[in-house]
Structure formats: structure tokens, C-alpha cells
Amino acid sequence: RVPDERLAPLVLGAVFGTRVAPHLRAPRLEGAEMELVEQFVGLLPYRWLAHGMPPSLASLRDALGPRAPRGPEASATAAQASRVLLRLGCFDEAQALEAAML
């Protein structure tokens, strides 16, 4: 078993930061990308997120939150984005997104 101290930076930095993030164009506008992001974040152990959002995932806050592109496509992924933001501990962004959905 690989210790979390070594595994977390590998998964978050090497896998997400170099393999996934560069290929994301607009997860709020593309349902398939939003699904990928939700699945990835959903599979992360809670203990990796217990001390706040890892810096390598900070780009998701802007890509999914209230500053993300708007439009019908974005409205269709708003609930998913809110769930991901909550999981990442971005409570203010998730709340703003949920308020905009009302």
C-alpha cells in the first residue's frame, strides 16, 4: 500500500494536473466533461480533501463556480457543478451557484 503522502500528490498533480485538466475545455458547457470531473472528484478519498481543496484542483473552482460560462448548457450542469464544489469544500461558490439556479 502506497502512503497517502505519496499517492495524493501523484493522483492530484500527475494524473489530474497533467492528464485530465489540460484536456478540459469547458466542463460547465460540456456534459461529458462535467461527468468526468464529477466522477474523478467523487472517487477521491475524503481524507485528501479534509484540510481544504488541494492547490492542483483550484482551477476547478473557477471552471465550475459562479464565474464559469453561462447559458443553457451551463444551466444543465449546474447541479453537478454544485455537488463537485461542495465535495471540494468550496461552500461559498456552491451556494452562489445554487442561488443562481433558483
Side-chain angles (χ1 to χ4, degrees), residues 70-85:
R70 300 177 193 269
E73 299 92 352
S75 296
T77 61
Q80 282 179 295
S82 179
R83 286 192 301 269
V84 171
L85 289 166

Side-chain angles (χ1 to χ4, degrees):
R1 179 176 154 107
V2 179
D4 279 350
E5 300 82 37
R6 291 181 59 207
L7 187 58
L10 174 70
V11 171
L12 297 174
V15 174
F16 182 79
T18 62
R19 299 289 183 189
V20 178
H23 300 286
L24 295 176
R25 289 189 173 87
R28 286 293 307 281
L29 301 178
E30 297 289 334
E33 286 187 7
M34 189 66 237
E35 185 66 30
L36 174 76
V37 168
E38 185 176 31
Q39 290 290 325
F40 181 85
V41 171
L43 291 171
L44 296 175
Y46 281 105
R47 64 186 175 275
W48 290 5
L49 305 171
H51 301 291
M53 184 175 51
S56 56
L57 298 180
S59 61
L60 288 178
R61 180 181 47 233
D62 294 332
L64 303 180
R67 289 178 272 176
R70 300 177 193 269
E73 299 92 352
S75 296
T77 61
Q80 282 179 295
S82 179
R83 286 192 301 269
V84 171
L85 289 166
L86 286 172
R87 177 104 160 95
L88 292 174
C90 302
F91 302 112
D92 292 340
E93 289 84 354
Q95 184 178 20
L97 194 57
E98 289 172 3
M101 288 189 293
L102 298 177

